[in-house]
Amino acid sequence: MPDTSTIQADGAASRRRFLTLAGGGGMAAATAFLAACGDSGKTMSTASTAAATTTKAAVDGDIAILNYALTLEHLEADFYAKVIASGLLKGAEQDFAKRVGDTERQHVEAIAATVKKLGGTPVAAPMSKFPLDNRLAVLKLAAVVENLGAAAYLGKAPEIKSPEVLAAALSIHSVEARHAAALNRLLGKSPTPDGAFAKPASEQDVLAAVQPFIVS
Amino acid sequence: MSTTHHTDLVPELAAVEVQGVSRQAFLVRGALAAGAVYGTTMISPFVRGAFAAEGMGDVDILNFALTLEYLEADFYRRARKLGLSHEVAKVARSFGDAEQQHVDALAATIKKLGGTPVASPKFSFPMKDEKSFLKLAQTLEDTGVSAYNGAGPAITSKEVLAAAGSIVQVEARHAAVIRQLRGNVPAPDAFDASLDTKQVLAAVKPLIRS
């Protein structure tokens, strides 16, 4: 068995050094870079990200994160299904919605399957409702949902314990980012609203933001 | 397990663009369907790839990323001389500025971790007009996304991972915009590919002069 205590001690030491140095200020770019780390430093556990810990707590933590992601993916998949059914988008925009909707369904299936394999129970899809009034409202809401999704994955990635789950989350995270950028551009907004470093969102903020779309 | 399923990757940029993405996306899905396995002996070969195998620490990974960011920053800088149309020139300026910020931030972080930032290689880019610029831009941005996604699980520090995540999200947004400018779908797969160091180096090698 690998000496995980050594690994963790080293990780903690390097993190301490990193944080100490981060607090020292310095170049503006470095400040922006470190700011992108968010508040995770304040609430950090002692387990390092890539250290493959086999504890039940680690597995349970990953299952909880996956179920959080699953809820968001359910909402996204429902959103696009309703958008497509509404007929508010035409031509290339409708095709885009179909393609993205299909992608979100694949995310739902993959995440649910992973939760099961980890011994967890996938959360059920929430009942959703979305204010789909016209083309512009639909596109704006799509952009909100996708930017939020990307920020949500970014916020959770450092907390994931299993390298496999992390790899999967990263492969979904960048796809949500692609969707967000495409929609922002369609609306004449910057595809990179946070500049050179994307900002994460906390679970609390994300759940509050999607609450209006959840019926039950 | 070895990474023999990667070795048939043709070391040409176009091949990475087409083959790498679809096969890797397939692998990600396969791994998800098979379920994640905890513990060091059962790690899927595609996840950690060369990063873990070569024992790369966070500073090594950051230096690898720095090299890619040097390449992207230089690429967009040179594109300014191509006489790009207004919209594309605006995108090139904005993206080039972001890549330079990534360079500065990665170099500063490497120093703060006690490492030495690698020097920038010299690059040459096969582009002569807007069309060839956009084609290469798509390949570079998509490869950048896959490089960060491949490195992510091997990063030890949560802070470094969070920062790498904030950069890869921007690379993905760049890739989507470039794809749109070329009339391509912004997100070709439901799961973005991950590439290991060998694959990434093979992809960018034709662009490195020294």
Side-chain angles (χ1 to χ4, degrees), chain B residues 53-114:
Chain B
E54 291 164 12
M56 288 176 79
D58 285 0
V59 167
D60 300 317
I61 292 171
L62 287 167
N63 262 324
F64 186 74
L66 176 59
T67 303
L68 292 182
E69 298 288 354
Y70 278 140
L71 183 140
E72 290 184 327
D74 194 40
F75 168 71
Y76 285 112
R77 206 158 30 237
R78 287 170 192 237
R80 292 178 189 181
K81 295 169 188 161
L82 292 175
L84 303 173
S85 64
H86 178 71
E87 188 185 13
V88 175
K90 212 173 119 186
V91 165
R93 264 197 311 277
S94 163
F95 289 10
D97 179 60
E99 308 302 359
Q100 186 56 48
Q101 288 186 56
H102 295 168
V103 164
D104 295 342
L106 289 170
T109 305
I110 289 164
K111 282 185 195 165
K112 296 196 177 210
L113 288 175

Side-chain angles (χ1 to χ4, degrees), chain A residues 73-107:
Chain A
E73 297 289 354
H74 271 309
L75 281 172
E76 288 186 327
D78 284 354
F79 169 73
Y80 286 105
K82 284 171 179 165
V83 165
I84 292 159
S86 76
L88 289 167
L89 300 183
K90 311 284 181 203
E93 290 174 356
Q94 178 80 335
D95 290 345
F96 179 78
K98 284 179 181 170
R99 190 180 180 93
V100 176
D102 180 60
T103 291
E104 309 301 2
R105 274 198 304 279
Q106 289 186 56
H107 294 170

Side-chain angles (χ1 to χ4, degrees), chain A residues 21 25 62 107 147 174 178 196, chain B residues 38 102 109 112 142 173 190 192:
Chain A
L21 293 163
D62 282 0
H107 294 170
N147 280 287
S174 52
R178 288 170 184 267
Chain B
Y38 286 76
H102 295 168
T109 305
K112 296 196 177 210
D142 278 343
R173 288 168 179 267
D192 268 330

